[in-house]
Amino acid sequence: MKLSIVLAAYNGAETICAQLESILAQTRKPDEVLIFDDCSTDDTVETVRRFAAQYDPDGAIRLIQNEKNQGWRANFMQGFRQAAGDVIFCADQDDVWHKDKLEKMTAVLEQHPEVRVLACNIHPFYEEGAQLVQVGSHQTDSYGTHPLEKVVLDKMWLEPWRPGCAMCFRRELLPQLEAIWFPACAHDLLLWAVGIAVGGAWILNEELIDQRRHSGNNTPSNAKTRKIRGGLMELYTTLSGKILQNQQQLTLPPENVQMVEQMNRFYTKRGAAIRSGNPLQLAGLLADLKLYPTGKAWLADCLAAIR
């Protein structure tokens, strides 16, 4: 298997060298490291050039400078399009990979052809001066009880258990990803949703990445206002709808089609109720309480609807 790494960069001069060091130190080397700089205003570009000149004699690192700022969602997608590897790994500019990350995740893909999208566990931390402070998250929990677990399609379907920096996917899935992607959809949500829908998303329950957390991380909002929470439901409705439109190309299992259809109707109804702010419509959502990811989510919808 040929391995591609796609790294979306923007103003990452302070941290990107540590990430690149960890990538070049992998026990299984990548065939290419594609860095897409999204019009950084700091020294990211020159920092990458100096690093590559000094530490990358094989020329695996390739720097692409965007002519105009695209935003991180589109930046990752253009990276996927240009990657040539059989397996494409996502990378952020401020993390540190364990030296055997590529080796262990690629071994899973080589041994298990049914795995289409694979994520590993992460070790998140905040940087406070000279100290690294570990933080908690549902994304640090093990998924299931086995070293390798299949992710099931359930009501938590669009609540990713792992961030994009922990994911990789087979390039053969790219045409379907392209058909479904739209500008508001993050690459990790797209990979997660499509991988689960086709029955090919798995988690390797082993920490293989140190994920740096800080105020600049792009993470989903708590969606506490009507506009934000209603927009989130619109995102979910659009994504699930596009997956249904492409179900034949994806060859979705019949039981997954039924579940996605059910969730699509739920997201549509939920979004309309939140945007309306109408207590009667919100009360009507109680009939679908079993489809909420958590018991508190309905109350959060009600609070968001009046803000």
Side-chain angles (χ1 to χ4, degrees), residues 150-162:
K150 182 177 180 179
V151 185
V152 299
L153 177 55
D154 58 16
K155 63 183 181 180
M156 292 289 288
W157 173 43
L158 298 185
E159 303 283 337
W161 278 75
R162 297 294 179 268

Side-chain angles (χ1 to χ4, degrees), residues 138-183:
H138 78 279
Q139 294 183 336
T140 65
D141 298 335
S142 292
Y143 186 91
T145 59
H146 297 92
L148 183 65
E149 286 278 356
K150 182 177 180 179
V151 185
V152 299
L153 177 55
D154 58 16
K155 63 183 181 180
M156 292 289 288
W157 173 43
L158 298 185
E159 303 283 337
W161 278 75
R162 297 294 179 268
C165 60
M167 296 181 187
C168 68
F169 65 98
R170 296 185 191 271
R171 195 180 192 282
E172 63 194 36
L173 197 59
L174 185 57
Q176 286 74 38
L177 297 174
E178 284 268 48
I180 293 167
W181 183 75
F182 51 100

Side-chain angles (χ1 to χ4, degrees), residues 31-44:
D31 292 276
E32 60 179 6
V33 182
L34 305 180
I35 301 173
F36 292 83
D37 182 78
D38 203 22
C39 301
S40 292
T41 58
D42 67 354
D43 295 328
T44 298

